[in-house]
């Protein structure tokens, strides 16, 4: 476990505190940054947490500065966690050549192909390293942890929740990449990170993962919001495929389609409160039971 957690900045926010951290990651092999909002209730003990995975080109600051989530999180007594979207500073050839691959585009998986396999280990970083670090160093109860995200981060939220259902107790997404094996973003990323053998890709495709679940993994339901004016909807996102996979398994899914909304943070802000309440209900139910 990293023991050099460095506080970069701290800001009072809605009675709680917004913090930005850096630490040396053993899984990534480079310094990694993440942000945390701790609600006022964290001063008196541990609180449930909600991790947000951001989309392409974003970093650990994007959600905290653009989503407008802290006010309600403070009222609900919920910590917010936002990791960076990829390793930085690896100096791998071509890492910044494309906005949708490499830096800012980790796709929340562990790469198996050179030269990416050495540092692009986002799944192991999040599950095996960051979560234990949060539990050890901050007043966050990781046994009450929800996961959500946007776009590439929505893909990450759905896939990691399906791959680690015992870790994440609730899941939601905003405009997620639902079937990356069937869209240009996913094909580019998976070819680069996982290689040409498409049979290995299905382990990181939310639609494929849902189809192969033995039972509905989230009986309390999954929430997805999608804007119908999203320019990426038709070619990249495919929520209808995930919807069909959920229906086939009997997995409760609330997929809300919103006329006029696009792919950006104005859309995200508009439905953020619903997502926080979705997770708060699931995490509170854990306490009650």
């Amino acid at each position: 476990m990293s023991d050099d957690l460095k506080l970069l900045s701290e800001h009072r926010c809605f009675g709680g505190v917004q913090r930005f951290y850096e630490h040396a990651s053993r899984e990534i092999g480079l310094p990694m940054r993440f942000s945390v909002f701790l609600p006022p209730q964290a001063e008196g003990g541990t609180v449930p947490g909600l991790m947000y995975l951001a989309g392409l080109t974003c970093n650990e600051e994007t959600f905290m500065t653009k989503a407008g989530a802290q006010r309600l999180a403070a009222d609900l007594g919920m910590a917010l966690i936002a990791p960076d979207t990829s390793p930085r500073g690896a100096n791998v050839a071509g890492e910044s050549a494309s906005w949708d691959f490499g830096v800012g585009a980790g796709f929340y998986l562990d790469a198996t192909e050179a030269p990416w396999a050495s540092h692009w280990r986002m799944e192991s970083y999040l599950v095996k390293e960051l979560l234990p670090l949060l539990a050890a160093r901050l007043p966050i109860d990781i046994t009450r942890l929800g996961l959500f995200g946007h776009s590439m981060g929505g893909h990450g939220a759905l896939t990691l929740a399906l791959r680690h259902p015992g870790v994440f107790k609730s899941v939601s997404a905003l405009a997620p990449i639902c079937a990356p094996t069937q869209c240009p973003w996913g094909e580019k990323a998976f070819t680069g990170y996982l290689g040409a053998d498409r049979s290995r890709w299905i382990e990181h495709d939310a639609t494929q993962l849902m189809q192969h679940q033995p039972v509905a993994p989230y009986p309390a339901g999954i929430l997805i919001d999608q804007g119908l004016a999203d320019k990426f909807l038709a070619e990249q996102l495919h929520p209808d495929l995930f919807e069909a996979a959920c229906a086939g398994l009997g997995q409760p899914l609330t997929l809300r389609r919103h006329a006029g909304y696009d792919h950006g943070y104005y859309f995200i802000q508009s439905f953020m409160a619903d997502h926080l309440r979705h997770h708060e209900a699931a995490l509170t139910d854990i306490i009650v039971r």
Side-chain angles (χ1 to χ4, degrees), residues 32-289:
M32 288 294 290
R33 292 186 174 187
F34 65 93
S35 60
V36 173
F37 171 73
L38 293 174
Q41 295 86 341
E43 295 181 5
T46 59
V47 295
L50 178 56
M51 179 174 285
Y52 176 88
L53 305 182
L56 293 164
T57 75
C58 296
N59 60 28
E60 77 285 353
E61 296 182 357
T62 311
F63 171 76
M64 296 300 185
T65 56
K66 289 187 174 184
Q70 290 95 332
R71 182 192 296 272
L72 182 55
D75 291 342
L76 298 177
M78 179 182 296
L80 302 172
I81 307 109
D84 202 352
T85 53
S86 78
R88 297 179 192 268
N91 297 317
V92 171
E95 67 178 16
S96 298
S98 302
W99 68 274
D100 55 358
F101 182 81
V103 172
F107 273 80
Y108 304 103
L109 50 76
D110 289 355
T112 59
E113 298 299 297
W116 312 102
S118 295
H119 299 293
W120 265 253
R121 295 178 47 78
M122 290 299 294
E123 179 173 5
S124 288
Y125 168 67
L126 293 175
V127 176
K128 297 180 181 179
E129 185 172 9
L130 182 57
L131 293 186
L133 178 63
L134 294 172
R137 302 291 294 273
L138 294 171
I140 298 174
D141 180 0
I142 65 166
T143 68
R144 293 183 285 152
L145 185 68
L147 183 65
F148 74 145
H150 168 241
S151 194
M152 176 187 71
H155 143 77
L158 295 175
T159 57
L160 293 182
L162 291 173
R163 288 168 62 81
H164 305 277
V167 173
F168 301 105
K169 311 305 182 187
S170 56
V171 60
S172 71
L174 297 118
I177 305 171
C178 290
T181 60
Q182 301 181 58
C183 76
W185 279 341
E187 290 181 349
K188 180 176 182 177
F190 288 2
T191 300
Y193 294 140
L194 302 175
D197 182 358
R198 297 178 71 99
S199 67
R200 295 159 60 187
W201 297 8
I202 63 174
E203 298 175 9
H204 303 280
D205 181 303
T207 296
Q208 295 281 344
L209 286 169
M210 185 61 76
Q211 290 173 347
H212 291 90
Q213 296 294 309
V215 296
Y218 290 92
I222 296 171
L223 172 64
I224 293 178
D225 281 295
Q226 176 62 60
L228 294 180
D230 188 327
K231 66 181 180 180
F232 301 115
L233 175 57
E235 185 177 29
Q236 303 282 13
L237 305 181
H238 301 308
D240 54 310
L241 299 180
F242 186 73
E243 183 178 38
C246 288
L249 184 66
Q251 166 62 54
L253 170 69
T254 301
L255 172 54
R256 307 190 302 186
R257 298 170 170 89
H258 305 282
Y261 285 90
D262 61 21
H263 196 70
Y265 270 82
Y266 296 114
F267 155 68
I268 292 170
Q269 289 178 31
S270 300
F271 304 103
M272 182 53 52
D274 294 340
H275 283 257
L276 265 61
R277 291 193 176 97
H278 166 81
H279 290 276
E280 191 266 346
L283 301 177
T284 300
D285 185 55
I286 293 171
I287 303 172
V288 172
R289 289 189 283 113

